[in-house]
Short mmCIF file of all heavy atoms in Angstrom, two decimals:
data_model
loop_
_atom_site.label_atom_id
_atom_site.label_comp_id
_atom_site.label_asym_id
_atom_site.label_seq_id
_atom_site.Cartn_x
_atom_site.Cartn_y
_atom_site.Cartn_z
N LYS A 30 10.30 7.47 -3.35
CA LYS A 30 10.70 6.60 -4.46
C LYS A 30 9.93 5.28 -4.35
O LYS A 30 9.60 4.85 -3.24
CB LYS A 30 12.21 6.30 -4.39
CG LYS A 30 13.09 7.52 -4.56
CD LYS A 30 14.56 7.12 -4.51
CE LYS A 30 15.45 8.34 -4.50
NZ LYS A 30 16.47 8.28 -3.43
N PRO A 31 9.70 4.62 -5.49
CA PRO A 31 9.07 3.30 -5.40
C PRO A 31 9.95 2.35 -4.59
O PRO A 31 11.18 2.43 -4.66
CB PRO A 31 9.00 2.84 -6.86
CG PRO A 31 9.22 4.05 -7.70
CD PRO A 31 10.05 4.99 -6.87
N GLN A 32 9.33 1.48 -3.81
CA GLN A 32 10.10 0.44 -3.12
C GLN A 32 9.22 -0.80 -2.93
O GLN A 32 8.00 -0.71 -2.83
CB GLN A 32 10.68 0.95 -1.79
CG GLN A 32 9.67 1.41 -0.77
CD GLN A 32 10.31 1.80 0.58
OE1 GLN A 32 11.43 2.32 0.63
NE2 GLN A 32 9.59 1.53 1.66
N GLU A 33 9.90 -1.95 -2.91
CA GLU A 33 9.21 -3.25 -2.87
C GLU A 33 8.58 -3.57 -1.52
O GLU A 33 7.62 -4.34 -1.45
CB GLU A 33 10.21 -4.37 -3.19
CG GLU A 33 10.62 -4.46 -4.65
CD GLU A 33 9.48 -4.99 -5.52
OE1 GLU A 33 8.82 -5.96 -5.11
OE2 GLU A 33 9.26 -4.40 -6.59
N GLY A 34 9.16 -3.04 -0.45
CA GLY A 34 8.75 -3.48 0.89
C GLY A 34 9.48 -4.75 1.27
O GLY A 34 10.45 -5.15 0.61
N ASN A 35 9.02 -5.39 2.34
CA ASN A 35 9.69 -6.57 2.87
C ASN A 35 9.40 -7.81 2.02
O ASN A 35 8.41 -7.86 1.30
CB ASN A 35 9.27 -6.80 4.32
CG ASN A 35 9.84 -5.74 5.24
OD1 ASN A 35 10.96 -5.28 5.04
ND2 ASN A 35 9.08 -5.35 6.25
N PRO A 36 10.26 -8.83 2.13
CA PRO A 36 10.02 -10.08 1.39
C PRO A 36 8.71 -10.75 1.83
O PRO A 36 8.29 -10.61 2.98
CB PRO A 36 11.21 -10.97 1.77
CG PRO A 36 12.13 -10.16 2.60
CD PRO A 36 11.48 -8.87 2.96
N LYS A 37 8.09 -11.46 0.89
CA LYS A 37 6.87 -12.22 1.20
C LYS A 37 7.28 -13.60 1.73
O LYS A 37 8.36 -14.07 1.39
CB LYS A 37 6.02 -12.36 -0.06
CG LYS A 37 5.50 -11.03 -0.59
CD LYS A 37 4.77 -11.22 -1.91
CE LYS A 37 4.31 -9.85 -2.46
NZ LYS A 37 3.61 -9.97 -3.74
N PRO A 38 6.44 -14.25 2.55
CA PRO A 38 5.15 -13.76 3.06
C PRO A 38 5.35 -12.66 4.09
O PRO A 38 6.31 -12.68 4.85
CB PRO A 38 4.55 -15.01 3.71
CG PRO A 38 5.72 -15.86 4.08
CD PRO A 38 6.76 -15.60 3.04
N ARG A 39 4.42 -11.70 4.09
CA ARG A 39 4.57 -10.54 4.98
C ARG A 39 3.25 -10.12 5.60
O ARG A 39 3.17 -9.10 6.29
CB ARG A 39 5.22 -9.39 4.23
CG ARG A 39 4.47 -8.99 2.94
CD ARG A 39 5.30 -8.04 2.11
NE ARG A 39 4.57 -7.59 0.92
CZ ARG A 39 5.08 -6.80 -0.02
NH1 ARG A 39 6.33 -6.38 0.09
NH2 ARG A 39 4.35 -6.43 -1.04
N VAL A 40 2.19 -10.90 5.36
CA VAL A 40 0.90 -10.64 6.02
C VAL A 40 0.29 -11.97 6.44
O VAL A 40 0.36 -12.96 5.70
CB VAL A 40 -0.04 -9.82 5.10
CG1 VAL A 40 -0.37 -10.54 3.81
CG2 VAL A 40 -1.32 -9.45 5.83
N PHE A 41 -0.23 -12.00 7.67
CA PHE A 41 -0.70 -13.25 8.28
C PHE A 41 -2.05 -13.01 8.95
O PHE A 41 -2.21 -12.07 9.73
CB PHE A 41 0.32 -13.74 9.31
CG PHE A 41 1.71 -13.86 8.73
CD1 PHE A 41 2.58 -12.77 8.76
CD2 PHE A 41 2.12 -15.03 8.10
CE1 PHE A 41 3.84 -12.85 8.18
CE2 PHE A 41 3.39 -15.11 7.52
CZ PHE A 41 4.25 -14.02 7.56
N ARG A 42 -2.99 -13.89 8.62
CA ARG A 42 -4.33 -13.83 9.22
C ARG A 42 -4.36 -14.65 10.50
O ARG A 42 -4.03 -15.84 10.48
CB ARG A 42 -5.30 -14.50 8.25
CG ARG A 42 -6.35 -13.60 7.70
CD ARG A 42 -7.24 -14.44 6.81
NE ARG A 42 -7.45 -13.75 5.56
CZ ARG A 42 -8.65 -13.54 5.02
NH1 ARG A 42 -9.72 -14.02 5.60
NH2 ARG A 42 -8.76 -12.89 3.90
N LEU A 43 -4.76 -14.02 11.59
CA LEU A 43 -4.96 -14.74 12.85
C LEU A 43 -6.47 -14.92 13.02
O LEU A 43 -7.12 -14.16 13.75
CB LEU A 43 -4.36 -13.95 14.02
CG LEU A 43 -2.83 -13.96 14.20
CD1 LEU A 43 -2.10 -13.29 13.04
CD2 LEU A 43 -2.44 -13.29 15.50
N ALA A 44 -7.02 -15.89 12.30
CA ALA A 44 -8.48 -16.02 12.20
C ALA A 44 -9.14 -16.19 13.57
O ALA A 44 -10.18 -15.58 13.85
CB ALA A 44 -8.84 -17.18 11.28
N GLU A 45 -8.53 -17.01 14.43
CA GLU A 45 -9.14 -17.26 15.75
C GLU A 45 -9.21 -16.00 16.60
O GLU A 45 -10.00 -15.92 17.54
CB GLU A 45 -8.34 -18.33 16.53
CG GLU A 45 -8.21 -19.66 15.83
CD GLU A 45 -6.94 -19.78 14.97
OE1 GLU A 45 -6.52 -18.77 14.36
OE2 GLU A 45 -6.38 -20.89 14.93
N ASP A 46 -8.38 -15.04 16.27
CA ASP A 46 -8.30 -13.81 17.07
C ASP A 46 -8.92 -12.60 16.37
O ASP A 46 -8.92 -11.50 16.92
CB ASP A 46 -6.82 -13.50 17.36
CG ASP A 46 -6.10 -14.67 18.01
OD1 ASP A 46 -6.51 -15.07 19.11
OD2 ASP A 46 -5.15 -15.19 17.41
N GLU A 47 -9.45 -12.81 15.16
CA GLU A 47 -9.93 -11.70 14.33
C GLU A 47 -8.86 -10.60 14.26
O GLU A 47 -9.11 -9.44 14.55
CB GLU A 47 -11.27 -11.14 14.84
CG GLU A 47 -12.45 -11.90 14.27
CD GLU A 47 -13.79 -11.17 14.41
OE1 GLU A 47 -13.84 -9.94 14.23
OE2 GLU A 47 -14.77 -11.84 14.72
N ALA A 48 -7.67 -11.05 13.91
CA ALA A 48 -6.52 -10.14 13.87
C ALA A 48 -5.67 -10.43 12.65
O ALA A 48 -5.82 -11.47 12.00
CB ALA A 48 -5.69 -10.30 15.14
N VAL A 49 -4.79 -9.48 12.35
CA VAL A 49 -3.82 -9.64 11.26
C VAL A 49 -2.47 -9.17 11.78
O VAL A 49 -2.39 -8.22 12.57
CB VAL A 49 -4.24 -8.79 10.03
CG1 VAL A 49 -3.10 -8.64 9.02
CG2 VAL A 49 -5.47 -9.39 9.34
N ILE A 50 -1.41 -9.86 11.37
CA ILE A 50 -0.06 -9.33 11.58
C ILE A 50 0.52 -9.03 10.20
O ILE A 50 0.45 -9.87 9.30
CB ILE A 50 0.85 -10.35 12.33
CG1 ILE A 50 0.40 -10.49 13.79
CG2 ILE A 50 2.32 -9.90 12.26
CD1 ILE A 50 1.10 -11.60 14.56
N ASN A 51 1.04 -7.80 10.03
CA ASN A 51 1.68 -7.48 8.76
C ASN A 51 3.06 -6.90 9.00
O ASN A 51 3.31 -6.25 10.01
CB ASN A 51 0.81 -6.50 7.94
CG ASN A 51 1.16 -5.06 8.21
OD1 ASN A 51 2.14 -4.52 7.69
ND2 ASN A 51 0.36 -4.41 9.04
N ARG A 52 3.93 -7.17 8.04
CA ARG A 52 5.24 -6.51 8.02
C ARG A 52 5.54 -6.10 6.58
O ARG A 52 6.59 -6.41 6.02
CB ARG A 52 6.33 -7.41 8.62
CG ARG A 52 6.40 -8.84 8.10
CD ARG A 52 7.65 -9.55 8.62
NE ARG A 52 7.78 -10.90 8.12
CZ ARG A 52 7.31 -12.00 8.72
NH1 ARG A 52 6.66 -11.89 9.87
NH2 ARG A 52 7.49 -13.20 8.18
N TYR A 53 4.59 -5.42 5.97
CA TYR A 53 4.73 -5.00 4.57
C TYR A 53 5.99 -4.17 4.35
O TYR A 53 6.69 -4.35 3.35
CB TYR A 53 3.52 -4.16 4.14
CG TYR A 53 2.29 -4.96 3.80
CD1 TYR A 53 1.14 -4.89 4.60
CD2 TYR A 53 2.26 -5.77 2.67
CE1 TYR A 53 0.00 -5.61 4.28
CE2 TYR A 53 1.12 -6.49 2.35
CZ TYR A 53 0.00 -6.42 3.15
OH TYR A 53 -1.12 -7.13 2.84
N GLY A 54 6.24 -3.22 5.24
CA GLY A 54 7.44 -2.39 5.10
C GLY A 54 7.31 -1.31 4.03
O GLY A 54 8.25 -1.06 3.27
N PHE A 55 6.13 -0.66 3.99
CA PHE A 55 5.91 0.47 3.07
C PHE A 55 6.17 0.09 1.61
O PHE A 55 6.94 0.76 0.90
CB PHE A 55 6.79 1.68 3.43
CG PHE A 55 6.38 2.45 4.65
CD1 PHE A 55 7.23 3.45 5.16
CD2 PHE A 55 5.18 2.23 5.30
CE1 PHE A 55 6.87 4.19 6.29
CE2 PHE A 55 4.81 2.97 6.43
CZ PHE A 55 5.66 3.95 6.92
N ASN A 56 5.57 -0.99 1.13
CA ASN A 56 5.61 -1.26 -0.31
C ASN A 56 4.84 -0.14 -0.99
O ASN A 56 3.69 0.12 -0.66
CB ASN A 56 5.00 -2.63 -0.62
CG ASN A 56 3.63 -2.84 0.01
OD1 ASN A 56 3.47 -2.65 1.21
ND2 ASN A 56 2.65 -3.21 -0.79
N SER A 57 5.50 0.54 -1.91
CA SER A 57 4.89 1.74 -2.48
C SER A 57 5.31 1.95 -3.93
O SER A 57 6.46 1.68 -4.30
CB SER A 57 5.32 2.97 -1.66
OG SER A 57 4.80 4.16 -2.22
N HIS A 58 4.36 2.44 -4.75
CA HIS A 58 4.68 2.78 -6.14
C HIS A 58 5.40 4.12 -6.23
O HIS A 58 5.87 4.50 -7.30
CB HIS A 58 3.40 2.81 -6.98
CG HIS A 58 2.78 1.46 -7.16
ND1 HIS A 58 1.58 1.27 -7.83
CD2 HIS A 58 3.18 0.22 -6.76
CE1 HIS A 58 1.28 -0.03 -7.83
NE2 HIS A 58 2.23 -0.68 -7.19
N GLY A 59 5.44 4.86 -5.11
CA GLY A 59 6.18 6.12 -5.07
C GLY A 59 5.31 7.35 -5.38
O GLY A 59 4.20 7.24 -5.89
N HIS A 60 5.85 8.52 -5.04
CA HIS A 60 5.11 9.78 -5.17
C HIS A 60 4.58 10.03 -6.58
O HIS A 60 3.44 10.42 -6.76
CB HIS A 60 6.00 10.97 -4.79
CG HIS A 60 6.22 11.11 -3.31
ND1 HIS A 60 7.15 11.99 -2.80
CD2 HIS A 60 5.65 10.50 -2.24
CE1 HIS A 60 7.14 11.91 -1.48
NE2 HIS A 60 6.25 11.00 -1.12
N ILE A 61 5.43 9.84 -7.60
CA ILE A 61 5.06 10.27 -8.95
C ILE A 61 3.87 9.47 -9.47
O ILE A 61 2.90 10.03 -10.00
CB ILE A 61 6.27 10.21 -9.91
CG1 ILE A 61 7.29 11.28 -9.50
CG2 ILE A 61 5.84 10.42 -11.36
CD1 ILE A 61 8.66 11.14 -10.14
N VAL A 62 3.91 8.15 -9.28
CA VAL A 62 2.82 7.29 -9.74
C VAL A 62 1.51 7.64 -9.02
O VAL A 62 0.45 7.78 -9.65
CB VAL A 62 3.18 5.80 -9.55
CG1 VAL A 62 1.97 4.90 -9.76
CG2 VAL A 62 4.31 5.40 -10.49
N VAL A 63 1.60 7.81 -7.72
CA VAL A 63 0.39 8.12 -6.93
C VAL A 63 -0.12 9.52 -7.28
O VAL A 63 -1.33 9.73 -7.42
CB VAL A 63 0.65 7.95 -5.42
CG1 VAL A 63 -0.50 8.50 -4.60
CG2 VAL A 63 0.88 6.46 -5.10
N GLU A 64 0.79 10.46 -7.47
CA GLU A 64 0.39 11.81 -7.88
C GLU A 64 -0.41 11.75 -9.19
O GLU A 64 -1.47 12.39 -9.33
CB GLU A 64 1.63 12.70 -8.07
CG GLU A 64 1.29 14.10 -8.56
CD GLU A 64 2.49 14.89 -9.08
OE1 GLU A 64 3.58 14.29 -9.28
OE2 GLU A 64 2.34 16.11 -9.28
N ASN A 65 0.08 10.98 -10.15
CA ASN A 65 -0.60 10.87 -11.45
C ASN A 65 -1.99 10.25 -11.30
O ASN A 65 -2.95 10.68 -11.95
CB ASN A 65 0.25 10.08 -12.45
CG ASN A 65 1.46 10.88 -12.90
OD1 ASN A 65 1.46 12.12 -12.85
ND2 ASN A 65 2.53 10.19 -13.32
N ARG A 66 -2.10 9.23 -10.44
CA ARG A 66 -3.41 8.60 -10.22
C ARG A 66 -4.38 9.57 -9.56
O ARG A 66 -5.56 9.61 -9.91
CB ARG A 66 -3.24 7.35 -9.36
CG ARG A 66 -2.64 6.20 -10.14
CD ARG A 66 -2.55 4.92 -9.34
NE ARG A 66 -1.80 3.95 -10.11
CZ ARG A 66 -0.91 3.10 -9.61
NH1 ARG A 66 -0.68 3.08 -8.29
NH2 ARG A 66 -0.26 2.26 -10.39
N LEU A 67 -3.89 10.35 -8.62
CA LEU A 67 -4.76 11.32 -7.95
C LEU A 67 -5.15 12.45 -8.90
O LEU A 67 -6.30 12.90 -8.89
CB LEU A 67 -4.08 11.88 -6.70
CG LEU A 67 -4.03 10.93 -5.50
CD1 LEU A 67 -3.18 11.53 -4.38
CD2 LEU A 67 -5.43 10.61 -4.98
N ARG A 68 -4.21 12.89 -9.72
CA ARG A 68 -4.51 13.95 -10.68
C ARG A 68 -5.58 13.51 -11.68
O ARG A 68 -6.44 14.30 -12.07
CB ARG A 68 -3.25 14.33 -11.47
CG ARG A 68 -2.39 15.31 -10.73
CD ARG A 68 -1.54 16.16 -11.68
NE ARG A 68 -0.48 16.82 -10.92
CZ ARG A 68 -0.68 17.82 -10.07
NH1 ARG A 68 -1.90 18.28 -9.86
NH2 ARG A 68 0.34 18.35 -9.42
N ALA A 69 -5.52 12.26 -12.09
CA ALA A 69 -6.46 11.73 -13.08
C ALA A 69 -7.90 11.76 -12.57
O ALA A 69 -8.84 11.76 -13.36
CB ALA A 69 -6.06 10.31 -13.47
N ARG A 70 -8.07 11.79 -11.24
CA ARG A 70 -9.42 11.81 -10.67
C ARG A 70 -9.63 13.04 -9.78
O ARG A 70 -10.50 13.04 -8.90
CB ARG A 70 -9.70 10.51 -9.89
CG ARG A 70 -8.70 10.21 -8.79
CD ARG A 70 -9.07 9.02 -7.94
NE ARG A 70 -10.34 9.20 -7.26
CZ ARG A 70 -10.52 9.97 -6.18
NH1 ARG A 70 -9.52 10.68 -5.67
NH2 ARG A 70 -11.71 10.07 -5.62
N GLN A 71 -8.85 14.07 -10.02
CA GLN A 71 -8.90 15.26 -9.17
C GLN A 71 -10.28 15.93 -9.18
O GLN A 71 -10.78 16.33 -8.12
CB GLN A 71 -7.82 16.27 -9.62
CG GLN A 71 -7.60 17.38 -8.61
CD GLN A 71 -6.38 18.23 -8.93
OE1 GLN A 71 -5.77 18.09 -10.00
NE2 GLN A 71 -5.99 19.11 -8.01
N GLU A 72 -10.90 16.03 -10.34
CA GLU A 72 -12.23 16.66 -10.42
C GLU A 72 -13.27 15.84 -9.64
O GLU A 72 -14.13 16.39 -8.96
CB GLU A 72 -12.67 16.83 -11.89
CG GLU A 72 -11.81 17.81 -12.68
CD GLU A 72 -11.67 19.17 -12.00
OE1 GLU A 72 -12.69 19.73 -11.53
OE2 GLU A 72 -10.52 19.68 -11.91
N THR A 73 -13.17 14.53 -9.77
CA THR A 73 -14.06 13.63 -9.02
C THR A 73 -13.89 13.86 -7.52
O THR A 73 -14.87 13.95 -6.77
CB THR A 73 -13.75 12.16 -9.35
OG1 THR A 73 -13.89 11.98 -10.75
CG2 THR A 73 -14.66 11.19 -8.62
N GLN A 74 -12.63 13.97 -7.07
CA GLN A 74 -12.39 14.16 -5.64
C GLN A 74 -12.90 15.52 -5.16
O GLN A 74 -13.42 15.62 -4.05
CB GLN A 74 -10.91 14.00 -5.29
CG GLN A 74 -10.66 13.99 -3.78
CD GLN A 74 -11.44 12.91 -3.06
OE1 GLN A 74 -11.37 11.74 -3.42
NE2 GLN A 74 -12.21 13.29 -2.04
N ILE A 75 -12.77 16.53 -5.98
CA ILE A 75 -13.29 17.86 -5.60
C ILE A 75 -14.79 17.75 -5.34
O ILE A 75 -15.31 18.29 -4.35
CB ILE A 75 -12.94 18.91 -6.68
CG1 ILE A 75 -11.43 19.22 -6.63
CG2 ILE A 75 -13.77 20.19 -6.51
CD1 ILE A 75 -10.90 19.99 -7.85
#
């Protein structure tokens, strides 16, 4: 199912360390939306 993920801010750049810390928490548009996007370009992916 679609879900928002964790509250923002949820991604942090550690520039001095060339690192990132994230706590996105699986922000996702969900299976159906992603399925439709993949289907729309299925021939290209093949």
